Amino acid sequence: MLAFDQARKLILDSVKPLDPITLPLLEALGMVASEPVNAGLDLPPFDNSAMDGYAVRSDECELAGEKPVIATLMAGDTADRELSKGTAVKIMTGAPVPPGFDAVVPFEEVLSEDAGKVFLPAAVKRNQHIRFLGEDIRSGDCIVESGRIIRPAEINILAGSGILSLYVHRKVRVAILSTGDELVEPGSAVPSGKIINSNSPALAAAVLEAGGEPVMLGIAADTRESLAEKIATGLRYDVLVTTAGVSAGEKDLVREMLAEAGVKPLFWKIGLKPGGPTAFGLKGYTPVFSLPGNPVSSMLTFEELVRPALLRMMGHTAVLRPHFKGILAEDVHKKEGKATLLRVKICKEGDTFRISSAGNQQTGIQRTLLHADAVCLLPSEVTLLKKGESVDFHFLHDSAMMMVL
Ligand code: AMP
Ligand code: MG
């Protein structure tokens, strides 16, 4: 049986970033640049004032003294006229500095101001409070490297330097197929013996959160025909994720039908609990994940195995959530031979993270996942971890991390 970390490595080695597409800046938010972007303009595009105040010639201000104020320049005005010597110009932040002027005295430093005259202090330094053409960015400078995530700050600098669109790795389209004769779609009547298909909306939500595009394929019955048809549809997308029908039950046909559809199996079981009956295969370059049906197992295996693969396909280089070390607040018993995902609550005491169980750890209990801030990955070989031992964990969501940190 493949160890959990080997399974994840195999998956990550099997997927590669999707083709680049060009998108308008705002649509590229959160996506990864696939090519470097060079500035199309100098920033700032002209010398301008960094303060509200008076523009002067610094060599005329060695001593404190009075100057006539001959003009006012607002942000947005032009200033290409030569102005007479021995004067000052009232200037607002962002307004162009007139030719020949080389310093700005902020209003706060002006000694007095009256009847078109301003009394300025001594020792005005050349270049003070001026933002010079191109001092931030030069036209042609690389402003966004390939591999960078596009955030509001990147959009600001791209837009400000004349860029309208850029190349990014496109969003991964993930087909989601729930399988099982017991399933009915949310909103329909639930006859006895049936349950609502909650995995499809939950996995779609997880795909959206990872930045991908979910495609709902609905429910396949536990029959060869139904599975064959839905799997054929699912293989038209970038990734196919199925749930259920991969354990040892009599109607667990997913594995067989994927093989018939030409999916080459890479593994069919991993040393992980919950999530043992998780399978992974490839049809050409299309990864196919067969997750267990149990909602907790499908959520956790998505988190640990599918999400990193989707991120890699969208060009991200950091695909795992940050891992931290914490101290167990209680003894934890586990089975030998399987890495175990423990759903936990984290509390921060000084610089130490204290880890306690988020509740009943049986796979069937969904409520524990609701209460969990994080998961601990407990190593396969041990059976007992003692209170006070240090273990690795990662938060399940940025919001959980923000509440705890
Ligand atoms: P299986 O992997 O087919 O043995 O299913 C394991 C458990 O998960 C069973 O109790 C199923 O009823 C349940 N289950 C399977 N698929 C779903 C689904 N789409 N939504 C919610 N529960 C499911
Ligand atoms: Mg089943």
Side-chain angles (χ1 to χ4, degrees):
M1 192 158 40
L2 197 60
F4 163 70
D5 46 352
Q6 286 169 355
R8 182 149 69 191
K9 182 169 186 314
L10 186 65
I11 290 167
L12 289 175
D13 288 345
S14 308
V15 298
K16 61 180 181 57
L18 297 169
D19 296 338
I21 52 163
T22 170
L23 283 183
L25 294 190
L26 194 51
E27 285 174 39
L29 180 68
M31 300 174 79
V32 178
S34 60
E35 281 171 37
V37 187
N38 298 335
L41 295 172
D42 293 318
L43 260 188
F46 49 86
D47 296 352
N48 68 91
S49 178
M51 299 290 281
D52 297 325
Y54 290 94
V56 294
R57 295 175 164 90
S58 58
D59 61 358
E60 296 173 352
C61 299
E62 267 145 32
L63 302 172
E66 207 172 60
K67 302 254 175 316
V69 179
I70 55 159
T72 299
L73 284 167
M74 302 294 195
D77 287 348
T78 46
D80 35 22
R81 258 179 336 116
E82 280 290 336
L83 297 169
S84 36
K85 299 243 151 107
T87 60
V89 171
K90 202 178 215 181
I91 193 165
M92 302 304 145
T93 305
V97 175
F101 286 62
D102 66 359
V104 171
V105 180
F107 287 146
E108 310 75 293
E109 291 173 21
V110 164
L111 301 175
S112 68
E113 194 189 10
D114 188 31
K117 292 201 156 109
V118 62
F119 203 90
L120 298 164
V124 173
K125 285 203 213 82
R126 193 164 169 250
N127 297 345
Q128 73 175 37
H129 305 303
I130 293 178
R131 303 183 288 210
F132 288 97
L133 181 146
E135 75 171 23
D136 190 356
I137 284 156
R138 278 282 174 197
S139 172
D141 278 357
C142 176
I143 42 175
V144 167
E145 311 84 38
S146 166
R148 182 182 277 264
I149 302 171
I150 305 305
R151 302 285 178 211
E154 278 74 23
I155 290 182
N156 205 331
I157 214 154
L158 287 164
S161 60
I163 305 293
L164 297 175
S165 61
L166 78 159
Y167 281 99
V168 291
H169 294 287
R170 65 182 176 79
K171 288 189 174 187
V172 62
R173 301 186 76 200
V174 184
I176 296 168
L177 175 61
S178 283
T179 76
D181 285 339
E182 74 274 39
L183 301 177
V184 296
E185 289 293 20
S188 12
V190 189
S192 121
K194 306 280 182 190
I195 59 165
I196 297 169
N197 168 19
S198 58
N199 283 348
S200 290
L203 291 170
V207 167
L208 281 171
E209 257 186 10
E213 266 177 35
V215 178
M216 301 287 232
L217 300 187
I219 299 167
D222 289 322
T223 64
R224 301 176 62 84
E225 300 68 35
S226 178
L227 283 165
E229 186 209 319
K230 295 283 191 184
I231 287 170
T233 309
L235 289 173
R236 295 208 286 263
Y237 296 91
D238 300 316
V239 177
L240 170 60
V241 177
T242 70
T243 74
V246 273
S247 359
E250 273 185 17
K251 285 189 166 179
D252 288 345
L253 294 168
V254 169
R255 173 178 177 175
E256 188 184 328
M257 296 316 294
L258 284 173
E260 268 188 30
V263 177
K264 188 177 118 219
L266 280 113
F267 61 80
W268 283 104
K269 234 185 184 116
I270 51 174
L272 184 67
K273 192 180 163 17
T278 296
F280 176 69
L282 286 171
K283 166 95 191 248
Y285 287 113
T286 307
V288 179
F289 295 88
S290 310
L291 308 182
N294 190 291
V296 170
S297 308
S298 66
M299 294 271 78
L300 289 178
T301 48
F302 181 94
E303 166 69 28
E304 301 298 332
L305 299 170
V306 185
R307 183 176 182 274
L310 302 186
L311 290 176
R312 173 145 299 174
M313 293 176 83
M314 291 185 286
H316 291 264
T317 43
V319 299
L320 299 183
R321 295 193 198 269
H323 281 58
F324 300 91
K325 285 221 178 287
I327 301 295
L328 286 174
E330 61 225 4
D331 288 357
V332 176
H333 295 270
K334 63 174 275 299
K335 281 213 179 100
E336 197 181 349
K338 280 191 171 188
T340 298
L341 298 170
L342 197 68
R343 288 153 274 164
V344 296
K345 290 199 79 65
I346 306 291
C347 85
K348 196 163 180 254
E349 288 169 357
D351 286 340
T352 307
F353 292 115
R354 224 173 66 97
I355 303 171
S356 54
S357 171
N360 183 334
Q361 296 288 331
Q362 284 177 58
T363 312
I365 305 297
Q366 287 199 59
R367 198 172 338 134
T368 305
L369 195 52
L370 287 185
H371 291 158
D373 301 315
V375 265
C376 273
L377 180 66
L378 307 177
S380 62
E381 61 279 12
V382 301
T383 53
L384 170 66
L385 292 113
K386 299 285 281 179
K387 175 179 173 175
E389 263 189 67
S390 166
V391 289
D392 263 20
F393 73 89
H394 71 78
F395 289 99
L396 279 165
H397 203 277
D398 286 354
S399 60
M401 178 158 75
M402 285 159 77
M403 304 266 275
V404 171
L405 285 179

